[in-house]
């Protein structure tokens, strides 16, 4: 077999784009999909924000809101997949923006997209692992008797210590060779799928009281206790549970330089991760909702789980059937493992983005971030990303409101990064874009505009106040956090980066040559 035949199409395309292969290309389409599917993680997002869904609208908000968010997310994902097929690099979104914005706008487009993407990913890693720390705290609380039985309730300092320990484990796992990490990623995907179907069947089966089909498909909870009475407003706020879950599928793009035939398998990973997550998530939502019979009880801060809705559902279901909530605690363990895998895959994607962004000189101390070890793993990017995610969670020690402001970037910040290259593709590059083997044909522009519309809409909706009257403890800090990031990124460009950052650069031949 000749040398040309041995190079898969993705490897050849990477060389055409100006990059030599530095990461080990071992991932199959299944492995690539597994990383994105594990980051999306239905069991992570839906369970973490189940209380939000129940509070703002209940069944109608999340049963139908999930389908709405899922459908529009597929438009975003398909547009991203089409672009990924043309530019299969670990840089992903920021590289796409540079190529699609044209030579005059490329440096600025790349800069702003890249920073929104990487900060959004750090926020995702921070929020996922902090959510796991909180879940572990609830499991300990219930295992020791519950809030009303003298159970141990960890302080905020214990929770942040748990968060640090989880990040440490994730950094260690991400230091392994990609072949081992790939196996763990596939295990994570399998765990998410099996966990969804196990819990959606088991919980309503064990429940001694079940909600009616009428409740599941028609109940709309307007008693949120937050001073919001407009039904449309309530429904919109309930959408956050769904849209927060459906993020992170850009992991497939960031893993393309480690994926065989990446110009096809990377896009397949993006689309399949969204599609399967939408189907599995809806099935899970329906199954769990049949075990919901008393929303105010589930949200009550004085219940045994301290108001952690999904934990109280599981605990009550088993306690009512068997007189003990141990089975519910075991089920929470299934979720905890899924959240653990989600955080692991999130750090994987995060580190590859940092590796690629530093390869193009966009980050402080880029030469440090860009180093790979003998196993071809960007080790420095892994450990520094974990450290930054830990620092982000330290804001929780001040107040959970401050931490929520930080993690709001995980949803809106990431989606802005998703939308920017799509915007350039349907405007500046509408006629010049050269599609790869995975493409939408004549529908590419229409799909792109629908994706941009959705991102613009949710950016506005999720910035609305979530409680009235508005105080420092009820203010929605999302626009403050995202606006602050925008100001920092643009200011750093105007006063500094515009003088030296020229966009993505090649690492073949002259390293200063623009890609």
């Amino acid at each position: 077999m000749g040398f040309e035949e041995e190079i898969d199409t993705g490897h050849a395309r990477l060389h055409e784009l100006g990059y030599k292969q530095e990461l080990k290309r071992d991932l199959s389409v299944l492995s690539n999909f597994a990383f994105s599917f594990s980051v999306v993680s239905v069991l992570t997002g839906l369970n973490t924000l189940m209380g939000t869904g129940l509070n703002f609208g209940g069944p109608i908000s999340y049963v139908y809101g999930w389908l709405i968010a899922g459908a529009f997310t597929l438009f975003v994902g398909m547009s991203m997949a089409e672009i990924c097929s043309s530019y299969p690099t670990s840089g992903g979104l920021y590289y796409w923006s540079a190529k699609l914005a044209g030579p005059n706008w490329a440096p600025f487009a790349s800069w702003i997209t890249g920073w929104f993407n990487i900060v959004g990913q750090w926020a995702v890693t921070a929020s996922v692992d902090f959510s796991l720390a909180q879940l572990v705290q609830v499991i300990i609380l219930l295992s020791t008797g519950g809030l009303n039985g003298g159970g141990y309730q960890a302080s905020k300092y214990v929770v942040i210590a748990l968060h640090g320990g989880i990040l440490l484990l994730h950094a260690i796992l991400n230091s392994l060779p990609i072949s081992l990490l790939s196996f763990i990623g596939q295990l994570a995907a399998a765990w998410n799928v099996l966990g969804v179907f196990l819990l959606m069947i088991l919980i309503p089966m064990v429940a001694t009281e079940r909600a009616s089909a009428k409740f599941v498909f028609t109940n709309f909870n307007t008693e949120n206790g937050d001073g919001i009475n407009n039904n449309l407003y309530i429904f919109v706020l309930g959408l956050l549970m769904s849209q927060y879950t459906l993020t992170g599928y850009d992991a497939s793009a960031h893993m393309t330089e480690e994926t065989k035939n990446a110009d096809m398998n990377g896009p397949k990973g993006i689309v399949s991760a969204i599609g399967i997550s939408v189907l599995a998530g809806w099935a899970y939502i329906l199954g769990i909702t049949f075990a919901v019979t008393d929303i105010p009880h589930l949200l009550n801060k004085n219940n045994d789980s301290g108001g952690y809705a999904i934990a109280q559902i599981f605990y009550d279901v088993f306690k009512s059937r068997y007189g003990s909530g141990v089975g519910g605690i075991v089920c929470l363990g299934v979720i905890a493992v899924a959240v653990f895998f989600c955080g692991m895959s999130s750090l994987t994607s995060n580190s590859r983005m940092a590796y690629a962004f530093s390869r193009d000189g966009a980050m402080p101390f880029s030469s440090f971030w860009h180093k790979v070890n003998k196993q071809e793993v960007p080790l420095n990017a892994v450990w520094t990303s974990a450290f930054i995610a830990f620092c982000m969670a330290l804001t929780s020690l001040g107040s959970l409101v401050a931490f929520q402001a930080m993690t709001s970037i995980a949803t809106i910040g990431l989606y802005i990064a998703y939308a920017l290259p799509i915007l350039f593709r349907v405007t500046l590059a509408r006629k010049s874009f050269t599609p790869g083997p995975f493409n939408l044909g004549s529908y590419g522009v229409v799909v792109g505009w629908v994706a941009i519309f959705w991102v613009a809409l949710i950016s506005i909706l999720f910035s609305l106040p979530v409680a009235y009257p508005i105080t420092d403890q009820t203010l929605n800090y999302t626009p403050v956090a995202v606006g602050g990031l925008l100001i920092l990124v643009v200011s750093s460009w105007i006063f500094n980066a515009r003088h030296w950052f020229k966009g993505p650069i090649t690492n073949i031949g002259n390293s200063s040559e623009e890609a």
Side-chain angles (χ1 to χ4, degrees):
M1 181 180 290
F3 177 71
E4 291 78 14
E5 295 176 302
E6 291 179 356
I7 299 179
D8 64 50
T9 56
H11 191 150
R13 181 62 181 142
L14 182 66
H15 192 275
E16 290 173 12
L17 295 175
Y19 293 110
K20 64 183 178 182
Q21 189 71 42
E22 292 184 315
L23 303 177
K24 197 173 184 66
R25 192 181 288 276
D26 274 354
L27 301 183
S28 63
V29 64
L30 177 61
S31 296
N32 183 283
F33 152 79
F35 279 108
S36 270
F37 185 71
S38 299
V39 176
V40 174
S41 184
V42 166
L43 290 178
T44 298
L46 290 182
N47 291 307
T48 300
L49 291 186
M50 178 62 74
T52 300
L54 288 171
N55 194 46
F56 294 111
I60 277 193
S61 275
Y62 55 72
V63 168
Y64 301 106
W66 178 261
L67 294 178
I68 293 170
F72 281 105
T73 299
L74 270 173
F75 278 89
V76 178
M78 286 189 294
S79 289
M80 289 171 60
E82 182 181 52
I83 301 171
C84 179
S85 185
S86 289
Y87 310 117
T89 78
S90 292
L93 308 167
Y94 84 88
Y95 184 92
W96 305 347
S97 286
K99 298 297 289 186
L100 296 168
N104 293 331
W105 287 99
F108 178 66
S110 179
W111 179 262
I112 194 169
T113 304
W115 278 109
F116 263 92
N117 191 194
I118 197 165
V119 174
Q121 286 191 346
W122 284 328
V124 167
T125 303
S127 65
V128 169
D129 280 9
F130 189 79
S131 296
L132 177 55
Q134 290 178 311
L135 177 57
V136 170
Q137 180 264 320
V138 171
I139 291 173
I140 294 171
L141 173 63
L142 292 174
S143 300
T144 54
L147 188 64
N148 298 307
Y152 173 74
Q153 191 166 25
S155 70
K156 60 185 179 181
Y157 299 103
V158 173
V159 173
I160 202 70
L162 286 170
H163 172 69
I166 293 164
L167 275 168
L168 178 63
L169 287 174
H170 284 157
I172 292 171
L173 287 173
N174 273 281
S175 301
L176 298 173
I178 189 62
S179 55
L180 291 176
L181 202 58
S182 170
F183 171 76
I184 298 173
Q186 292 181 45
L187 176 64
W191 186 276
N192 269 277
V193 172
L194 294 175
V196 163
F197 286 100
L198 169 68
L199 296 176
M200 64 173 273
I201 295 170
L202 179 64
I203 298 303
M205 278 183 59
V206 173
T208 55
E209 290 184 61
R210 299 183 188 88
S212 65
K214 181 180 179 181
F215 175 87
V216 172
F217 291 103
T218 66
N219 181 269
F220 189 70
N221 177 39
T222 58
E223 302 299 321
N224 51 72
D226 292 309
I228 299 174
N229 302 311
N230 182 278
N231 287 355
L232 179 60
Y233 197 167
I234 292 170
F235 181 81
V236 162
L237 294 179
L239 278 177
L240 179 61
M241 182 186 86
S242 300
Q243 198 62 69
Y244 171 79
T245 305
L246 295 170
T247 56
Y249 43 85
D250 58 314
S252 286
H254 298 303
M255 300 305 294
T256 49
E257 289 186 36
E258 295 160 89
T259 302
K260 301 170 185 176
N261 298 312
D263 49 358
M264 273 300 291
N265 290 340
K268 286 179 180 177
I270 293 172
V271 176
S272 58
I274 298 171
I276 294 175
S277 293
V278 169
L279 294 175
W282 200 60
Y284 182 76
I285 287 170
L286 292 180
I288 296 302
T289 306
F290 274 103
V292 173
T293 56
D294 187 349
I295 292 176
H297 166 65
L298 297 176
L299 298 175
N300 189 338
K301 298 294 183 183
N302 295 315
N303 63 27
D304 279 317
S305 67
Y308 200 108
I310 196 68
Q312 195 63 43
I313 291 171
F314 290 1
Y315 191 72
D316 286 346
V317 160
F318 278 87
K319 194 169 185 178
S320 64
R321 171 73 68 176
Y322 302 109
S324 168
V326 172
I329 296 171
V330 173
C331 289
L332 288 176
V334 173
I335 294 174
V337 173
V339 181
F340 182 85
F341 282 141
C342 176
M344 182 205 73
S345 298
S346 177
L347 184 58
T348 307
S349 174
N350 205 169
S351 61
R352 270 50 179 187
M353 170 61 194
Y355 155 82
F357 209 30
S358 61
R359 178 174 60 187
D360 295 319
M363 299 182 68
F365 311 109
S366 284
S367 59
F368 172 82
W369 289 85
H370 179 236
K371 286 182 180 177
V372 296
N373 65 8
K374 292 180 180 179
Q375 284 75 42
E376 299 177 341
V377 174
L379 208 58
N380 292 348
V382 167
W383 284 89
T384 312
S385 292
F387 176 73
I388 291 172
F390 177 73
C391 291
M392 281 186 160
L394 291 176
T395 55
S396 67
L397 297 178
S399 73
L400 286 177
V401 173
F403 177 69
Q404 289 162 359
M406 182 69 71
T407 57
S408 64
I409 301 173
T411 302
I412 302 302
L414 269 186
Y415 267 93
I416 289 173
Y418 293 172
L420 285 171
I422 299 173
L423 177 64
F424 299 137
R425 184 261 182 266
V426 299
T427 54
L428 298 174
R430 180 171 181 172
K431 295 181 179 179
S432 60
F433 176 68
T434 303
F438 182 98
N439 64 82
L440 303 175
S442 58
Y443 296 101
V445 172
V446 175
V447 171
W449 277 116
V450 173
I452 292 165
F453 160 78
W454 180 246
V455 174
L457 181 63
I458 62 173
S459 297
I460 296 170
L461 296 181
F462 296 159
S463 297
L464 297 173
V466 296
Y468 292 90
I470 300 173
T471 68
D472 60 342
Q473 292 299 308
T474 61
L475 177 67
N476 184 351
Y477 284 89
T478 298
V480 177
V482 176
L485 176 60
L486 178 63
I487 291 170
L488 283 173
V489 172
V490 174
S491 297
S492 64
W493 172 259
I494 293 173
F495 295 110
N496 189 338
R498 68 188 178 91
H499 299 296
W500 54 267
F501 183 68
K502 304 302 179 185
I505 56 177
T506 68
N507 60 7
I508 295 176
N510 182 4
S511 61
S512 65
E513 180 186 353
E514 293 181 31

